[in-house]
Every structure is written in structure tokens, then in C-alpha cells.
Amino acid sequence: LVESVGLGASQPIQNGKRGTRNVIPITGGTLVGLVSGKVLFGGADYQSRPPGPAIDARYLWETPEGEIIIVRNAGPFNALIPTFETRVEGKFAWLNSGKYLSSAPGAGGGQGGGLSIAMYRVK
């Protein structure tokens, strides 16, 4: 599946408990593939410098059926691992288990610039 995500202006956080971070708001977007729908406004990527994850994005998807899926995509820039959380008995319960990989964010998604990210289920 591929998501195109719009981004807001970044906010640097200096010398925090976990070091320096760069927080980038997620302003919405679209989702196509095995799951389709939209990326909801209100998430963010809490980027950090090593030794922790370089990217730690947390946000929500909403499907046309109204299902809400919690997404966390985290790890080093070129080794992101997405995890999902949704209703145990829902249509998209299969996302709750399994292993997934994510491409590094690429330019060209969302309105006014943003990112495009592809996610894959590992068999």
C-alpha cells in the first residue's frame, strides 16, 4: 500500500530528555492499495538523532468503511518498520499481526509537498 502524506512546518526541540528532536506535524493525506482511505490530520513524526529511532511517526488512517487504524512507523531512515492497531474483530484485523516493512519517505506526497511512503507485508 502507498500513502501520500501532507506535512506542516517542523518544530525543533533542543536538548530534551531524549536529545534533540524535530517534530513534523502530519496534516492529512491519502492511502491506496490493500487498505484505502485517508490519513487523518493530527499525527506527527517525532524525529530523533541516533542512538534512538531516526523516525518515529504516529498517526491515524480512516477507511471508507469508517474503520480507524493506528499507525506507528519507526526506525532508522532506511529501515522503517510499521506497526498497526485496529479492531480485533474488524475487517482489517489482519494488520494487527504479521511483519511489515516501509520504504524511506520520498518526496511528492500530500498537498503543497509532502511525502510518499510504501508499506509491504513480509511473508
Side-chain angles (χ1 to χ4, degrees):
L1 57 96
V2 176
E3 60 181 13
S4 296
V5 181
L7 303 173
S10 65
Q11 175 65 54
I13 309 295
Q14 303 293 326
N15 302 316
K17 177 180 176 180
R18 292 184 172 89
T20 298
R21 287 187 179 267
N22 188 37
V23 180
I24 303 172
I26 295 172
T27 60
T30 59
L31 179 65
V32 296
L34 290 174
V35 179
S36 64
K38 58 186 174 181
V39 178
L40 297 179
F41 174 88
D45 179 4
Y46 298 87
Q47 296 178 348
S48 63
R49 295 191 179 149
I55 292 178
D56 189 359
R58 298 167 188 235
Y59 50 99
L60 301 174
W61 291 342
E62 183 177 15
T63 70
E65 299 86 0
E67 292 283 334
I68 300 296
I69 301 167
I70 300 169
V71 180
R72 181 176 185 200
N73 199 10
F77 187 78
N78 288 316
L80 295 170
I81 298 175
T83 57
F84 308 98
E85 183 179 341
T86 190
R87 290 187 316 128
V88 174
E89 301 289 330
K91 177 180 178 179
F92 300 97
W94 56 271
L95 285 167
N96 290 324
S97 60
K99 295 182 181 182
Y100 302 89
L101 296 175
S102 170
S103 70
Q111 294 181 346
L115 301 174
S116 180
I117 300 170
M119 296 182 188
Y120 309 90
R121 186 169 192 174
V122 179
K123 293 184 179 189

